[in-house]
């Protein structure tokens, strides 16, 4: 679906991402994990075509991404950030907004908004404004907005990190069910390994701007790939994961 080839991204004379070869397959559901500042968000921005790499190539369904086709391809993807970034209009209109930009007709917009409000359990909020929603409710709106676009790939960059534990668990359950239903190709960034089993057993681990591991979560935790960078990466999780091993 998306391939990165010899990607290097330099900012302020510092190499913050270096990926020789990376492939996200159609229908793949990938969690991306790594410590603070390891390059998780940068990887998502490059994959979602929000940030051009300093060098290297991005391919979408085999087609090389260029400045000409960039916008058209970007419109086939959706991104959910940690902050819901909602507009001061009703929940219904927030979910509808992205589709309006993409020229989808009103009847279809109506159908999709109602469907996704229902799937994320927020139909009752349809006439509310985002300002008085809880953090969890707001993030449900932002998920509904992304899914309603019926994107070919959905990126989520630590979408639940700002939420309390209980709300986070609820949203992980809900998102896991929706992803299983749609089979959407997904990249889910988290700094918390505990979130991954709700969504997938397929994980990429980033360390120092490089992909140190891509494979099954259980193999990673079983220590099958004990390179120094992966070891270092797992260190912070060892304690919290003890009860699962
Ligand atoms: N625009 C930028 N200019 C300079 N450095 C940046 C920029 N964006 C990110 N960085 C640096 O790149 C590294 C990776 O950042 P980021 O991808 O946001 O990490 P993560 O999401 O894993 O916390 C960090 O060291 C960060 O400070
Ligand atoms: Mg980040």
């Amino acid at each position: 679906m998306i391939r990165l080839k010899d990607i290097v991204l330099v900012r302020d004379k510092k190499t913050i991402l270096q990926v020789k070869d990376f492939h996200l397959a159609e229908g793949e559901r990938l969690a991306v994990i790594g410590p603070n500042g390891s390059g998780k968000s940068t990887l998502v921005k490059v994959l979602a075509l929000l940030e051009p790499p300093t060098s290297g190539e991005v391919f979408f369904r085999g087609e090389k991404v260029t400045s000409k086709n960039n916008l058209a391809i970007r419109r086939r993807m959706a991104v959910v950030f940690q902050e819901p970034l909602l507009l001061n209009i009703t929940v219904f209109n927030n979910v509808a907004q992205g589709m309006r930009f993409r020229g989808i007709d009103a009847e279809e917009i109506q159908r999709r908004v109602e469907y996704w409000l229902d799937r994320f359990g927020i139909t009752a909020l349809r006439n509310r404004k985002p300002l008085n929603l809880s953090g969890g409710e707001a993030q449900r709106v932002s998920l509904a907005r992304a899914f309603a676009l019926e994107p070919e790939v959905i990126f989520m960059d630590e979408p639940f990190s700002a939420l309390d534990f209980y709300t986070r668990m609820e949203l992980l359950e809900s998102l896991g069910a929706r992803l299983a239903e749609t089979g959407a190709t997904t990249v889910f960034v988290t700094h918390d390994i505990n979130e991954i089993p709700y969504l997938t057993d397929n994980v990429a681990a980033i360390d120092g701007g490089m992909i140190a591991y891509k494979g099954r979560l259980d193999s990673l935790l079983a220590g099958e790939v004990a390179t120094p960078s992966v070891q270092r990466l797992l260190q912070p999780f060892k304690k919290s994961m003890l009860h699962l091993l």
Side-chain angles (χ1 to χ4, degrees):
M1 190 103 192
I2 306 181
R3 184 178 289 283
L4 301 182
K5 198 94 194 107
D6 297 317
I7 293 289
V8 177
L9 199 137
V10 179
R11 290 284 178 271
D12 295 339
K13 295 182 185 160
K14 215 180 103 199
T15 301
I16 58 178
L17 192 70
Q18 201 168 357
V19 180
K20 203 167 160 28
D21 193 26
F22 171 91
H23 184 230
L24 182 74
E26 171 133 39
E28 184 171 350
R29 209 182 301 161
L30 180 71
V32 175
I33 190 144
N36 246 331
S38 57
K40 304 182 295 299
S41 295
T42 307
L43 175 68
V44 162
K45 283 184 217 151
V46 169
L47 287 169
L49 310 181
L50 299 172
E51 184 132 28
T54 312
S55 62
E57 288 162 346
V58 183
F59 295 87
F60 188 86
R61 291 188 186 277
E63 183 185 354
K64 188 177 159 179
V65 175
T66 64
S67 54
K68 274 213 178 92
N69 63 17
N70 187 302
L71 183 64
I73 295 176
R74 212 190 306 159
R75 289 203 166 134
R76 295 157 67 181
M77 311 194 258
V79 190
V80 176
F81 297 99
Q82 183 176 325
E83 297 301 325
L85 304 172
L86 300 174
L87 303 167
N88 187 28
I89 52 179
T90 64
V91 163
F92 185 99
N93 283 322
N94 265 286
V95 177
Q97 192 74 0
M99 288 185 278
R100 290 183 182 134
F101 281 132
R102 294 183 192 200
I104 295 166
D105 75 68
E107 215 168 289
E108 175 67 5
I109 290 176
Q110 177 88 15
R111 187 192 68 76
R112 288 200 209 169
V113 174
E114 278 170 10
Y115 179 79
W116 286 105
L117 289 180
D118 176 59
R119 297 318 277 151
F120 281 103
I122 49 174
T123 300
L125 305 178
R126 59 187 288 152
N127 295 321
R128 297 263 298 273
K129 296 269 188 83
L131 227 53
N132 54 26
L133 298 179
S134 71
E137 288 168 343
Q139 205 52 292
R140 283 178 188 274
V141 175
S142 124
L143 288 169
R145 180 176 55 185
F147 275 83
L149 292 170
E150 296 182 356
E152 290 170 57
V153 190
I154 302 187
F155 298 95
M156 291 175 258
D157 190 356
E158 306 207 27
F160 307 145
S161 295
L163 305 175
D164 63 80
F165 179 79
Y166 180 70
T167 306
R168 199 144 51 96
M169 293 304 116
E170 273 190 337
L171 274 157
L172 280 165
E173 298 269 6
S174 190
L175 174 62
R178 300 299 76 84
L179 288 176
E181 279 167 12
T182 56
T185 307
T186 306
V187 177
F188 179 88
V189 173
T190 176
H191 63 260
D192 185 355
I193 230 169
N194 296 293
E195 292 190 343
I196 299 176
Y198 288 86
L199 306 175
T200 183
D201 63 357
N202 182 30
V203 62
I206 299 206
D207 193 20
M210 296 201 243
I211 297 177
Y213 176 80
K214 188 171 186 289
R216 291 176 56 97
L217 177 64
D218 51 7
S219 308
L220 178 69
L221 294 173
E224 278 175 32
V225 275
T227 67
S229 60
V230 172
Q231 289 275 17
R232 189 166 60 242
L233 186 78
L234 287 179
Q235 216 55 49
F237 302 115
K238 286 270 162 70
K239 244 187 194 157
S240 68
M241 294 305 285
L242 277 180
H243 63 288
L244 296 177
L245 297 174

